[in-house]
Amino acid sequence: MIKLINVSKEYKNGVKALSNIDLNIKKGEFVYLVGSSGAGKSTLVKLLLKEEEPTEGQIYLNQMDITKVRNRKVPYIRRNIGVVFQDFRLLPNKTVYENIAFAMEIVGVPSKEIRRKVPSILSLVDLSRKSSSFPDQLSGGEQQRVAIARAIANNPPILLADEPTGNLDPDTAWEIMKLLSDINGGGTTILMATHAREIVNTMRKRVIAIQEGVIVRDEEKGGYGDEI
Ligand code: ADP
Ligand code: ADP
């Protein structure tokens, strides 16, 4: 589902953020990406979203080599990969309902389908009663649930989560993990960059550790590790 072959990324200033990364994540896997600040996690996330281009190598998402996709076709990639960030990134002037509906409108989902689907996604993330609220009227955990709802609205096979619990208190973080775990249970492949040691050590999923742009560990049912 996600495959990197010999991927390197050097920024224009000469910083080598990733070196010769080989990685294969299969459909339905849940993978934690760990590593200290500056290790290269965000660079990897940006490459998968085609916000940055690799200096070398191939990147496949759902069989498609995204390094060969023209920039104007990037929306096709975004249909394959939903994304959630630490700081939620909701549209502040739209309600919860509208935030989700908008994500569907921009990829051309018919309005009848949107009206049918938004309530069912809201119910999945347990936010039906907040449908008309604006983001600043919600708690952090609720905002993240809206962000997750938006990310999965178009049924992408892959969900990328960049420190999704980073701004949340521990109980709320666990709620979010439960939700991500349920989404993964439905078949969605999840790659989650995180510093949440306790979550990684409790959930025991595949762990990929990067250090100075290199994969230093890749373990099934792994732990957060001591190198970070
Ligand atoms: P992480 O997400 O693990 O903290 P990053 O991918 O953000 O790591 O950074 C990896 C390395 O690349 C760091 O040395 C960082 O300073 C550098 N870096 C990140 N973004 C840029 C950029 N746009 N231009 C130059 N260097 C960058
Ligand atoms: P947390 O404990 O995560 O910080 P809050 O205290 O921010 O949560 O929010 C608790 C509840 O109050 C949530 O259900 C949230 O939706 C609601 N709430 C918070 N701020 C507002 C607001 N300005 N308007 C309406 N509801 C609010």
Side-chain angles (χ1 to χ4, degrees), residues 129-130 133 136-142 169 172:
R129 73 214 146 77
K130 300 281 177 174
S133 299
D136 69 357
Q137 298 174 317
L138 302 177
S139 71
E142 289 168 334
D169 63 74
T172 310

Side-chain angles (χ1 to χ4, degrees), residues 45 49 51 83-89 144 161-164:
V45 167
L49 295 172
E51 285 174 13
V83 61
V84 179
F85 299 98
Q86 176 171 2
D87 55 359
F88 322 131
R89 302 195 193 178
Q144 194 59 297
D162 195 358
E163 300 252 14

Side-chain angles (χ1 to χ4, degrees), residues 11 13 15 17 36-43 52:
Y11 285 107
N13 61 358
V15 172
S36 51
S37 186
K41 302 182 298 297
S42 299
T43 299
E52 291 284 351

Side-chain angles (χ1 to χ4, degrees), residues 58-149:
Q58 283 104 52
I59 301 172
Y60 292 89
L61 286 189
N62 202 10
Q63 326 276 3
M64 172 172 54
D65 182 351
I66 63 164
T67 62
K68 299 215 161 63
V69 173
R70 299 277 181 84
N71 278 330
R72 65 188 169 80
K73 295 254 171 99
V74 167
Y76 288 98
I77 297 173
R78 300 285 158 79
R79 276 179 170 236
N80 276 305
I81 191 158
V83 61
V84 179
F85 299 98
Q86 176 171 2
D87 55 359
F88 322 131
R89 302 195 193 178
L90 299 172
L91 297 169
N93 301 322
K94 290 190 187 288
T95 64
V96 166
Y97 183 100
E98 290 163 351
N99 263 277
I100 299 167
F102 185 66
M104 300 175 80
E105 279 161 25
I106 56 178
V107 298
V109 178
S111 49
K112 191 172 161 210
E113 169 78 2
I114 294 176
R115 282 197 300 275
R116 188 186 64 76
K117 192 150 180 208
V118 175
S120 80
I121 303 171
L122 280 173
S123 144
L124 178 77
V125 300
D126 198 19
L127 280 178
S128 304
R129 73 214 146 77
K130 300 281 177 174
S131 177
S132 309
S133 299
F134 287 90
D136 69 357
Q137 298 174 317
L138 302 177
S139 71
E142 289 168 334
Q143 289 185 59
Q144 194 59 297
R145 278 170 16 229
V146 178
I148 291 170

